[in-house]
Amino acid sequence: MKEIFPKKYDFNKQEKHWLAFWKKNKIYRFDNQSSRPIYSVDTPPPYVSAAHLHAGHIMSYSQAEFVVRYKRMKGFNIFYPMGFDDNGLPTERFVEKKYNLDKSKISRSDFIKLCLKETKTGAQNYRDLWTSLGISVDWTKIYSTINALCQKVSQWSFIDLFRKGKVYRQEEPVLWCPFCQSALAQADLEDETVNSSLNYISFSVDNKKYPIATTRPELIPACVAIFANPQDQRYFSLKNKKAAIPLFDYSVPVYFSPEVDPKFGTGLVMVCTWGDFEDIKKFKEFKLPIREVLNQAGEFNDLGGRLKGLGITAARKKILDDLLKENLLVRQEKIKHVINTHERCGTPVEFVLAKQWFIKVLESKKELLEKGKKLNWYPGHMRHRYESWIKGLKWDWCISRQRYYGVPFPVWYCQDCGEVIPALEKDLPLNPAEVKPPVSNCPNCRSVRFIPEKDVMDTWATSSCSPFIIPELVKNKKIRAKIFPNSLRPQAFEIIRTWLFYTIVKAHHHFNKLPFKDVMISGHGLDEKGKKISKRLGNYIKPSILLKEYGADAIRYWATGATLGSSHRFNLKEVEKGKYLVTKLFNASRFCANYLSGFKSRPEDNYRLEPEDDWILHELNQTVKEVTLAFEKYEYAKARNDLDKLFWATFCDYYLEMIKHRADEASVRYVLYRCLLTILKLYAPILPFITEEIYQRLFRENEKKISLHLADWPRPNENWQLAPKDLKEIGYFISEIDGIRKEKVARKLRFKELLTGYTPRTKVNLTLFGKKLQEMLAVEFGEAE
RNA sequence: GGGUGCUUAGCUCAGUUGGCAGAGCAUUCGGUUUACAUCCGAAAGGUCGUAGGUUCAAGCCCUACAGCACCCACCA
């Protein structure tokens, strides 16, 4: 058998070989002709800006991959595409950082060129890694969010929502990043706790001083009103009075609102244009005037007076100095407080008055919560995150960004009356700056002058279309209809409030449907000490090194250890264990090869099975049931554990030892054939390379299927199932013996000795066993000999 | 402030519907001439976060509390 099984398994060489084999034979292609049920996966398109790939990426993408391979063998026609998210702010930020660019100092077209170049490299990095890991994506079904198809779908989505009245354009204070100089959505924010000071500043009413506490003293020139709680006796006298603004020569009215907390600071609040959400609320409620002192870059304008030209930090320092000089700064308290920053650049956000496009979400909160209840969540508790996000929403989804590299809005405006002119669906995708509107006169005022929209869409406005982008990768319309809604959305927990939420919003508005049936939420990969893996900490091993040292199967083995939704520590020992398992599988198979050479499985044959054969087939059958059930519930970790136990502890350590003296028996060859093939199939979703290797060497000729990964998933065989009574009769004590746990007994027994002298009715020699077990067995079988 | 999850052997973690506390790694000891980049067997190692409760029986169910992680809210 030497020529069939070499002494060693060279995984580096063989993994490459099987990758080429799968590619050449199109093993993972979606089948356009098939009538089998489709299992479609809305694969997360990674940001190509995540250039530093590590175990965390491997983990989250492997999890969906295990399930997909299982479903493929279960007989589903797998639609497993891959996308790359390469438009929008994340990409722009990545390029800006890498080349140290300033958006205002580079031409739009040069900038876009750089973005395209970088995204190409980034996408290739991902593709190389996924390929080497054996991720069974159909690489003929790929998309990038900046390509024509995605632009077309997201522009269609916009126009459809426009027609349905689900988007609107409005000028109002929006979340604004002064660094990126763009509007943002609520989901783009991150919390940051900062050490700050609460400054008590003297305002005066009728020449009497009233200190007001604020963390934003630089916004004094933007102050438009003072507020107090209507129950607060200290300030009753301020009713209908005006307060003089310190350092700036104007006054503002005093108002009362129950929302003011009398216990905070002095119980007086200055309301500005606009320091926070409460300011905006009062601005709307009390119809306050606007005093915009910041420009879009976060610098003070003319209205800022002495602060003109300064940035926020400098302005804060200057105004505190000036206040101190003028004796207007009563005191300062050091406080920790939470500010909102832009998650892409860490800059504290401001509010700027600007005309933006919004998708309506606030009015649909209830329906969106209902949709969340109908979705199958794995794990179930992740639904709470979705719900708490919706409950806390304060803004509709702002989708316009004042940026370059993204999908353009397919609209023009009438220069005279402002009428919105949407593009025609048949003309998509298009850039309104480059083509003329579909009308020659404004339908409202007959004007002939139009202005194209220059803003681009939020990147999520495109990626949230993924469930209806991916069917477009198939030509046949009937098949497209079967791909949506998708079967599975796998994704990480931190984008529940963005990708998942937005996708559900879109599918709701467009089709009143859920975009997918199941959602599978993965956790984070952590380093060995439990810290988040990051480039800055350098706390990870490069995937290329892991692949070279341990092989793809071994890394995948580690990845199965991650429970859905929980973070999972990287553990080199687990990777090593995976490598040992691969070796063990290879060696055990090499051993079996000696028996299986030339063996033809004939189901009609009646083999004379020995008790240990019955037993191992029984165990095998049990494991098939367990593993199948586990995969159905996306519990690949449990599947792997059950399988390890069967293969290593039961099949190798016991069964193979027992049958060594029966090399020439047909029954043994039959049982070995069934066991090994089934074990390979069960391991196939997790360890695709080694299982294929062994399948090709030992089983391909008989089984005919070109690849193990297209073989049928094992089905339980009731003929192999032994009643507890029979197991007991056989005397192996393997299964439940009057409530004695299976494993516990099996582990303690010394099978080699037991079997050497075995005949069905022989009394067991109890001296072979340990004391505890002797007692247990004595109860079971009467007195010892 | 509200919520979710977690807390089990030195380490990393399993523990299905309540029924004699588990695996791997690490440690110690023994064995190994033929499938084994070793492998096999055994030992040792635990007040299952704390305190109550339900039950014949609780790691598991209930209540309270503590610590850790994350989500949401607060943001003058």
Side-chain angles (χ1 to χ4, degrees):
Chain A
M1 295 312 298
K2 268 170 202 150
E3 65 281 9
I4 291 187
F5 260 86
K7 181 84 178 159
K8 282 183 186 175
Y9 171 59
D10 182 347
F11 59 83
N12 276 315
K13 190 177 148 208
Q14 289 310 98
E15 286 183 357
K16 285 198 184 73
H17 174 258
W18 294 118
L19 285 174
F21 174 85
W22 293 333
K23 191 175 173 187
K24 186 181 159 208
N25 293 288
K26 301 172 183 169
I27 301 299
Y28 306 126
R29 282 281 173 91
F30 176 69
D31 187 348
N32 282 309
Q33 314 297 325
S34 167
S35 60
R36 285 173 297 148
I38 292 174
Y39 189 84
S40 55
V41 184
D42 186 13
T43 318
Y47 282 134
V48 292
S49 48
H52 310 281
L53 303 181
H54 52 68
H57 299 98
I58 293 176
M59 180 187 105
S60 50
Y61 278 81
S62 302
Q63 293 180 345
E65 146 80 358
F66 300 140
V67 172
V68 165
R69 281 187 182 270
Y70 163 72
K71 294 283 181 183
R72 185 180 290 114
M73 293 175 75
K74 265 301 227 190
F76 286 94
N77 187 13
I78 300 292
F79 185 73
Y80 191 17
M82 178 60 79
F84 295 102
D85 198 356
D86 51 7
N87 81 37
L89 209 34
T91 307
E92 291 195 38
R93 277 298 299 143
F94 174 70
V95 170
E96 281 176 348
K97 261 194 227 163
K98 180 159 178 180
Y99 292 95
N100 202 13
L101 295 177
D102 181 339
K103 168 183 142 176
S104 55
K105 287 176 189 140
I106 178 170
S107 84
R108 186 171 176 142
S109 63
D110 283 350
F111 186 69
I112 290 179
K113 260 183 220 160
L114 274 180
C115 289
L116 282 167
K117 184 188 147 203
E118 283 305 315
T119 53
K120 212 173 166 188
T121 324
Q124 194 57 45
N125 283 343
Y126 269 104
R127 183 167 175 166
D128 289 347
L129 178 60
W130 299 153
T131 307
S132 343
L133 278 169
I135 305 279
S136 60
V137 157
D138 177 352
W139 289 105
T140 64
K141 304 280 180 289
I142 57 176
Y143 66 91
S144 97
T145 52
I146 198 68
N147 73 14
L149 168 65
C150 293
Q151 298 219 14
K152 186 178 159 185
V153 174
S154 30
Q155 290 188 336
W156 162 83
S157 163
F158 177 81
I159 287 173
D160 189 55
L161 295 181
F162 180 76
R163 299 237 166 84
K164 292 186 162 113
K166 295 297 180 187
V167 292
Y168 62 93
R169 186 170 185 242
Q170 189 168 309
E171 181 161 44
E172 67 166 282
V174 286
L175 290 162
W176 186 270
C177 174
F179 183 85
C180 300
Q181 299 196 23
S182 175
L184 301 174
Q186 194 176 342
D188 299 321
L189 303 184
E190 217 162 51
D191 286 355
E192 195 183 330
T193 306
V194 291
N195 290 314
S196 171
S197 61
L198 188 60
N199 308 283
Y200 288 75
I201 294 162
S202 285
F203 285 55
S204 55
V205 182
D206 295 342
N207 289 321
K208 210 180 150 199
K209 289 192 170 175
Y210 289 92
I212 293 180
T214 179
T215 54
R216 298 290 307 269
E218 72 278 12
L219 289 181
I220 287 176
C223 180
V224 290
I226 304 293
F227 275 79
N229 189 296
Q231 309 292 320
D232 196 337
Q233 299 189 359
R234 291 174 292 177
Y235 303 118
F236 281 178
S237 61
L238 297 185
K239 208 164 185 181
N240 298 322
K241 293 281 172 68
K242 286 210 156 192
I245 303 293
L247 297 182
F248 293 83
D249 191 20
Y250 72 104
S251 316
V252 297
V254 181
Y255 292 116
F256 295 87
S257 161
E259 283 172 17
V260 176
D261 177 4
K263 290 191 201 97
F264 190 93
T266 59
L268 283 176
V269 185
M270 72 170 195
V271 170
C272 308
T273 302
W274 291 277
D276 60 26
F277 184 70
E278 290 304 313
D279 285 354
I280 294 171
K281 222 170 137 185
K282 295 199 176 60
F283 159 73
K284 288 184 175 171
E285 197 179 330
F286 289 81
K287 306 232 172 347
L288 300 173
I290 294 173
R291 281 183 69 91
E292 264 201 303
V293 295
L294 288 172
N295 67 16
Q296 302 198 333
E299 288 157 356
F300 281 79
N301 58 21
D302 290 345
L303 208 52
R306 64 181 72 201
L307 304 178
K308 189 184 171 186
L310 296 178
I312 288 153
T313 317
R316 184 173 305 167
K317 191 173 178 302
K318 174 159 171 50
I319 203 154
L320 285 172
D321 285 349
D322 291 358
L323 287 165
L324 201 60
K325 272 182 217 153
E326 303 278 336
N327 223 4
L328 293 166
L329 182 60
V330 182
R331 64 190 172 96
Q332 290 183 298
E333 277 171 19
K334 291 221 177 299
I335 57 162
K336 273 189 197 292
H337 91 144
V338 181
I339 56 166
N340 284 320
T341 59
H342 180 203
E343 65 158 351
R344 291 287 147 200
C345 66
T347 311
V349 296
E350 297 293 338
F351 294 91
V352 164
L353 188 68
K355 235 177 184 180
Q356 306 288 344
W357 283 101
F358 295 86
I359 293 181
K360 292 183 184 173
V361 292
L362 297 179
E363 64 177 27
S364 307
K365 280 189 179 191
K366 215 176 141 191
E367 292 89 328
L368 291 167
L369 287 168
E370 280 305 308
K371 284 276 189 302
K373 288 201 172 73
K374 285 180 189 150
L375 188 59
N376 299 319
W377 297 77
Y378 297 90
H381 65 83
M382 282 294 169
R383 199 184 77 218
H384 295 290
R385 298 197 176 200
Y386 172 81
E387 291 183 347
S388 63
W389 176 250
I390 291 179
K391 285 172 188 163
L393 275 173
K394 288 189 291 214
W395 279 278
D396 278 333
W397 176 17
C398 173
I399 53 165
S400 44
R401 298 288 180 273
Q402 289 64 54
R403 299 293 303 191
Y404 293 160
Y405 188 61
V407 178
F409 284 83
V411 289
W412 295 260
Y413 307 108
C414 171
Q415 199 171 331
D416 294 306
C417 73
E419 179 79 2
V420 177
I421 319 285
L424 299 178
E425 259 184 54
K426 69 173 176 60
D427 297 332
L428 303 179
L430 58 76
N431 183 347
E434 291 164 359
V435 294
K436 287 188 174 167
V439 293
S440 44
N441 294 94
C442 169
N444 186 41
C445 73
R446 311 306 298 164
S447 166
V448 292
R449 300 187 299 168
F450 301 99
I451 315 167
E453 171 63 88
K454 272 191 268 179
D455 288 353
V456 297
M457 292 184 203
D458 178 11
T459 180
W460 297 112
T462 303
S463 49
S464 58
C465 295
S466 60
F468 22 104
I469 286 173
I470 56 176
E472 300 292 319
L473 299 169
V474 174
K475 279 183 190 153
N476 185 322
K477 279 192 179 167
K478 276 185 189 165
I479 295 178
R480 275 187 204 170
K482 288 182 189 164
I483 293 174
F484 180 86
N486 306 153
S487 314
L488 175 68
R489 154 67 70 87
Q491 66 160 77
F493 66 85
E494 74 268 24
I495 51 175
I496 289 177
R497 70 183 199 180
T498 50
W499 195 35
L500 184 57
F501 171 66
Y502 289 146
T503 310
I504 294 175
V505 167
K506 286 234 171 158
H508 174 68
H509 284 338
H510 287 304
F511 311 112
N512 193 22
K513 275 186 182 173
L514 271 174
F516 21 73
K517 294 186 195 86
D518 295 355
V519 60
M520 174 178 171
I521 307 284
S522 64
H524 269 149
L526 304 176
D527 76 358
E528 301 211 43
K529 288 172 190 153
K531 283 195 178 150
K532 194 173 169 176
I533 300 178
S534 76
K535 191 207 165 197
R536 194 174 52 79
L537 294 172
N539 55 348
Y540 62 95
I541 304 173
K542 280 189 180 171
S544 55
I545 295 175
L546 286 174
L547 279 164
K548 188 160 175 290
E549 295 295 318
Y550 301 95
D553 279 339
I555 303 171
R556 294 170 63 107
Y557 184 86
W558 161 74
T560 58
T563 312
L564 269 186
S566 311
S567 49
H568 184 51
R569 291 190 188 199
F570 179 75
N571 187 345
L572 201 57
K573 288 278 176 201
E574 283 288 300
V575 183
E576 263 174 23
K577 208 175 133 193
K579 190 175 159 184
Y580 290 150
L581 175 63
V582 168
T583 307
K584 185 89 176 171
L585 270 165
F586 187 80
N587 286 327
S589 302
R590 184 150 53 92
F591 173 76
C592 292
N594 295 322
Y595 292 65
L596 295 178
S597 160
F599 175 77
K600 295 266 186 276
S601 170
R602 287 165 307 188
E604 69 276 15
D605 283 354
N606 273 326
Y607 297 103
R608 203 179 61 83
L609 297 184
E610 296 294 326
E612 64 264 33
D613 302 330
D614 287 333
W615 166 65
I616 193 71
L617 289 174
H618 171 83
E619 289 298 318
L620 183 72
N621 198 44
Q622 285 289 109
T623 306
V624 167
K625 288 180 186 171
E626 286 165 9
V627 169
T628 305
L629 190 65
F631 269 117
E632 281 297 326
K633 292 194 282 186
Y634 299 142
E635 289 174 359
Y636 38 81
K638 185 178 185 309
R640 190 203 72 184
N641 281 340
D642 292 342
L643 246 180
D644 282 356
K645 213 178 277 175
L646 172 79
F647 168 66
W648 201 306
T650 307
F651 182 69
C652 291
D653 291 350
Y654 289 126
Y655 186 72
L656 289 188
E657 295 302 328
M658 292 176 198
I659 52 92
K660 276 182 175 169
H661 65 283
R662 292 172 54 201
D664 51 348
E665 291 178 27
S667 55
V668 161
R669 302 167 79 197
Y670 162 76
V671 174
L672 279 181
Y673 189 98
R674 298 309 336 158
C675 284
L676 189 58
L677 180 60
T678 305
I679 286 168
L680 289 180
K681 284 179 173 181
L682 297 177
Y683 266 128
I686 295 168
L687 310 172
F689 294 95
I690 185 65
T691 50
E692 181 79 294
E693 173 88 23
I694 298 164
Y695 173 80
Q696 297 288 341
R697 287 183 188 278
L698 287 180
F699 298 102
R700 162 88 181 271
E701 203 186 331
N702 257 341
E703 298 291 321
K704 302 291 189 274
K705 282 270 164 61
I706 186 166
S707 163
L708 177 66
H709 302 294
L710 297 180
D712 296 333
W713 187 255
R715 267 176 299 193
N717 181 340
E718 289 312 317
N719 296 332
W720 293 349
Q721 190 73 21
L722 296 178
K725 185 170 67 81
D726 299 329
L727 276 170
K728 190 173 164 185
E729 170 69 18
I730 288 167
Y732 289 102
F733 331 114
I734 304 305
S735 192
E736 292 78 359
I737 302 173
D738 291 355
I740 298 173
R741 284 276 183 98
K742 176 172 73 175
E743 291 87 355
K744 204 174 286 175
V745 179
R747 198 181 53 245
K748 302 268 182 186
L749 291 176
R750 299 184 184 183
F751 269 90
K752 284 185 216 175
E753 286 93 331
L754 190 65
L755 283 163
T756 317
Y758 175 76
T759 48
R761 304 277 171 190
T762 307
K763 282 231 172 175
V764 179
N765 181 357
L766 290 180
T767 57
L768 289 172
F769 309 118
K771 253 188 192 169
K772 262 188 190 172
L773 201 70
Q774 278 187 34
E775 286 168 20
M776 281 161 53
L777 293 174
V779 173
E780 187 59 34
F781 295 97
E783 288 170 30
E785 294 277 318

